[in-house]
Every structure is written in C-alpha cells, then in structure tokens.
C-alpha cells in the first residue's frame, strides 16, 4: 500500500508519517493538494492519484484545541478503490489508526 500521510499530533506540528516511497514526499504532496481549499474534508482525483483530507475520526484536537486533520496522497492500486472522502476513511484509516494512536500524544521523530 503506497501512500503519503501528513498530519499533526497533540503537541507536534504538521509532518509526514508515511512517505509513499518518495525520498522527499513534499513535492508530490504539494502537487496533489494544489488548488484544494482548506476545508476539513476534501477529495481530489488526478489520474490515478487521490488527494484526500478528513478530520481525525476520533475527534482528537491538538494542545491548542485545533482539530487534527489527516491528509493522504494515495497511489495505485489503493487509489483505484477510493472515490470520495467516506471511501478513503473506510479504506485508509484502518491501515494507520493503530500507528496514530501510538504517536499522536508523543513525538514520532
């Protein structure tokens, strides 16, 4: 499963927790999220790549009280099965939920 995952934690700022196999995930992340507004949920497909954002499914907030967003750039073959935010939540969140539970209140670096 290849995807880029960017999020924040309770006390740490925005960072990539998965690189999707890219040495530097920032350029493909920027390209995928270009022109997507800052709303809490977003979905965009360009070719076989999906950019999707959704709020933390457990409703977690950071130490400043801001909702935690999760942003993914999903590549094939996983992206072939994602057609909206709900589908992304259903397919991707189970892949990262346990990992996030272990890092959200600590520093993953």
């Amino acid at each position: 499963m290849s995807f880029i995952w960017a999020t924040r934690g309770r006390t740490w700022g925005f960072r990539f927790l998965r690189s999707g196999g890219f040495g530097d995930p920032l350029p493909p992340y920027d390209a995928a999220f270009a022109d997507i507004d800052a709303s809490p949920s977003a979905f965009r497909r360009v070719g076989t790549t999906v950019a999707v954002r959704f709020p933390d499914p457990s409703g977690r907030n950071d130490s400043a009280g801001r909702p935690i967003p999760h942003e993914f750039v999903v590549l094939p073959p996983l992206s072939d099965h994602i057609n909206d935010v709900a589908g992304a939540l259903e397919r991707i969140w189970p892949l990262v939920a346990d990992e996030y539970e272990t890092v959200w209140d600590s520093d993953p670096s």
Side-chain angles (χ1 to χ4, degrees), residues 10-83:
R10 191 174 78 77
T11 58
W12 43 271
F14 183 84
R15 66 183 63 176
F16 293 104
L17 296 183
R18 298 274 182 101
S19 70
F22 295 93
D24 180 359
L26 185 57
Y29 167 86
D30 280 345
F33 277 92
D35 302 324
I36 293 180
D37 65 37
S39 61
S41 296
F43 177 87
R44 179 179 176 204
R45 174 182 291 279
V46 176
T48 60
T49 300
V50 165
V52 63
R53 173 188 312 120
F54 52 80
D56 184 81
S58 297
R60 286 176 273 224
N61 297 316
D62 67 14
S63 59
R66 297 173 296 189
I68 299 291
H70 296 279
E71 297 182 333
F72 297 87
V73 177
V74 188
L75 307 168
L78 182 58
S79 64
D80 298 341
H81 306 285
I82 297 173
N83 297 304

